[in-house]
Structure formats: C-alpha cells, structure tokens
Amino acid sequence: MPEKDESANVSGLRERLRAARSVFVLTGAGVSAESGVPTFRGGGQTAVWKGMPFEVISSAEMVGRDLALVWEWFDYRRGVLRTCRPNPAHESLARWQTRLPQFTLATQNVDGLHAEAGSRGVLELHGNAWRARCLDCGNREDVREKDAGVRPPVCRACGGLMRPDVVLFGEMLPEDVWVEAAERAAAADVCLVVGTSAIVHPAAGLPVAAKRAGAFLVEVNPEATPLSDFCDLTLRGAAGEVLPRLDF
Ligand code: BJW
Ligand code: ZN
C-alpha cells in the first residue's frame, strides 16, 4: 500500500521537523524548475546553448578564453530569470526558517529566488548570477545596474574587467560559505536534499557528511539520484508539491 506508506512517511517527517534542533537543507536547480528556471540535467537531458553543452561555457577555462561569450550566456540566463518568481517550494523553506531554532539553507542555485521568497542568510555555494566580480580587485557589483552597459563590464573601483560572480567548473567555492555549510551540515538532526542531481562536488558531499554525523537524510526529487539509496527517506515528486505537504 504505497499511498499509506507515503502519508505515514510524510507525517513522520513533519514530526521530526517539528522536534528538530537543527535542520540543514541543500537545494539544486529542481527547486526552481516550477518557477520556470531550466535545470542543467534531469530527464536524460543536458542543457545546451548555441550548440555548446553548459559544462563548456560554465567553466573556468572559458572565462580565460572568451569572457564576452560567458557574459552573453549569463545575460541570456538572466533574461529568463527576470520572468521567474519563487514557487511554493521556496516559500515553504522561507517559512520553516521562522519556526526552527537552527535552520540552514544552502543552495547550488545562482538565481536568487530563495532570498526573493524571504529566506535569510542563504548560503550560495555557487554564487549569484545577479552579481559581477572584478577580475583584478575582487570588487562586487549588482549586474542589474550594468545590464545596458558594455560587455565585459568595467569595475567602478579600479577599471578592471568583471566576470559573473558564480562558481564555474574547475573553480573553488567561496571558502567562508563552504566552511559554514560544512559545519551546519555536520550539526544537523535532519537534512533535506531537494531538486539536485547530486553529482556536482563538493556540494554533493554535504548531505553525505550530514548523515554520517547522525542526521536523518531525506531526498525530494521526481527522479532517482546517486544519493537516493543512501537516504533514510526519498519522496518522489516535485518540490513545489512535496515541500508544502511537509509544512509543520
Ligand atoms: C526536480 C524538479 C522539481 C526537476 N522538483 N526536483 C569529485 C569527483 C568528480 C569530480 C569532481 C570532484 N570534485 C570536484 C570535481 C569537479 C567538478 C565536479 O563536480 N564535476 C562533476 C560534475 C563530475 N566540481 C567543480 O569543478 C567544483 N569546484 C571544485 O571542485 O573546486 C576544486 C577544484 C579546483 C580546481 C581544480 C579542481 C578542483 C565547482 C562546481 C561548480 C558548479 N557550477 C555549476 C555552474 C554554475 C554557474 C551556472 O549557473 O552556469 O553549478 S555546474 C551546475 O551544476 C550548476 C549547479 O549548481 C550544479 C548542480 O546542478 P543541480 O542543481 O543538481 O541541477 P541538475 O540540473 O543537475 O539537477 C536537477 C535535479 O532536479 C534533477 O535531479 C531533477 O530530477 C530534479 N528536478 N524538476 C524537484 N520540480
Ligand atoms: Zn576592480
């Protein structure tokens, strides 16, 4: 009787969340899918732009080789993001934060939709597509103010060239953000991993570390991932439908 099992699991998880001291959530592109943000992978597909797989453009190598093309790719992406609003999954996570003594939301997404839904202190592991960073002095600026400007944009502080403030393949994650995420994951009683294919490292290691340190690990995803068999509970479904059912 899968339906009965499923509802027992959901109410059991609600109880766990209500009683938890510390909850850690890792999200990926799937949490924004119902907002209209395309995922990178999933359904057997890989995102392609201008005939190039996204791994080729979203790479450290491409910043060195063709920064203008990297900007074109992110200008295109922000054009899509401009039409997207938070969905019920983002909204549930923002509500949970107000109900728990310790709640950490780490996201691999660069879309800013968690903050737009009201989440505070979001750990953006892969940066934010709405920010630019100077290649010379590290100064950060809001890209919205530079949308109509030259490409690559020029830094207000030093005149250097700027790049999107995101973490591309082959680049290190921001150290302070990473350290905080790793500490919070290791301290969690419950860890939810939502809408990620769980193949990109080091982010994919966070739920593993959480479970090894004693957390109850839950996956929310319509598809199986390499993490599924390791989880204590897998809820197969869309984040925008599953998370509101877990509201506690
Ligand atoms: C739904 C849904 C719905 C659909 N509801 N769900 C160890 C082993 C092997 C390789 C490595 C390793 N350690 C490091 C590496 C290399 C590399 C890596 O991990 N490669 C693997 C892919 C093989 N990692 C790195 O390079 C990282 N840096 C690093 O390790 O630094 C150290 C170093 C430095 C120098 C040299 C060597 C090492 C950096 C990784 C940065 C990733 N950046 C990207 C692009 C960001 C910019 C941009 O936006 O373009 O981040 S890649 C891309 O993947 C993006 C995402 O954040 C990330 C994860 O994807 P995510 O979120 O999981 O999305 P999808 O699309 O993959 O999955 C969507 C899921 O949603 C699916 O499961 C669907 O089923 C589901 N879904 N609808 C819920 N409605
Ligand atoms: Zn600068």
Side-chain angles (χ1 to χ4, degrees), residues 59-206:
S59 68
E61 199 198 340
M62 194 56 90
V63 170
R65 192 143 53 97
D66 194 344
L67 183 57
L69 186 73
V70 174
W71 271 106
E72 203 187 321
W73 161 233
F74 277 91
D75 285 344
Y76 162 75
R77 301 259 302 278
R78 281 198 319 283
V80 174
L81 291 182
R82 224 169 261 121
T83 65
C84 300
R85 298 281 78 83
N87 68 55
H90 300 106
E91 285 158 9
S92 286
L93 293 170
R95 268 195 304 278
W96 296 3
Q97 182 168 38
T98 65
R99 295 177 191 162
L100 286 161
Q102 180 77 264
F103 177 87
T104 306
L105 176 54
T107 188
Q108 297 167 85
N109 300 345
V110 299
D111 56 32
L113 289 175
H114 283 303
E116 198 179 324
S119 286
R120 284 165 288 109
V122 181
L123 298 176
E124 293 182 320
L125 299 167
H126 293 165
N128 191 306
W130 295 101
R131 275 196 317 261
R133 186 174 85 239
C134 178
L135 289 169
D136 291 339
C137 75
N139 170 44
R140 291 183 163 88
E141 292 181 30
D142 191 326
V143 186
R144 287 174 189 86
E145 291 161 23
K146 293 189 169 289
D147 262 348
V150 289
R151 291 292 180 263
V154 173
C155 172
R156 264 202 216 115
C158 79
L161 294 180
M162 302 195 89
R163 54 163 287 172
D165 191 18
V166 297
V167 182
L168 303 170
F169 280 117
E171 295 181 332
M172 306 297 281
L173 275 58
E175 199 186 345
D176 52 341
V177 177
W178 171 252
V179 167
E180 191 172 350
E183 282 174 5
R184 297 295 185 87
D189 317 307
V190 182
C191 173
L192 278 97
V193 49
V194 183
T196 174
S197 55
I199 61 166
V200 174
H201 289 269
L206 290 169

Side-chain angles (χ1 to χ4, degrees), residues 21-77:
R21 275 175 301 108
S22 178
V23 171
F24 180 86
V25 180
L26 173 69
T27 64
V31 83
S32 296
E34 291 151 88
S35 295
V37 183
T39 60
F40 298 93
R41 314 167 188 84
Q45 307 272 326
T46 297
V48 170
W49 176 74
K50 291 197 165 185
M52 285 171 285
F54 78 92
E55 296 100 317
V56 174
I57 324 160
S58 282
S59 68
E61 199 198 340
M62 194 56 90
V63 170
R65 192 143 53 97
D66 194 344
L67 183 57
L69 186 73
V70 174
W71 271 106
E72 203 187 321
W73 161 233
F74 277 91
D75 285 344
Y76 162 75
R77 301 259 302 278

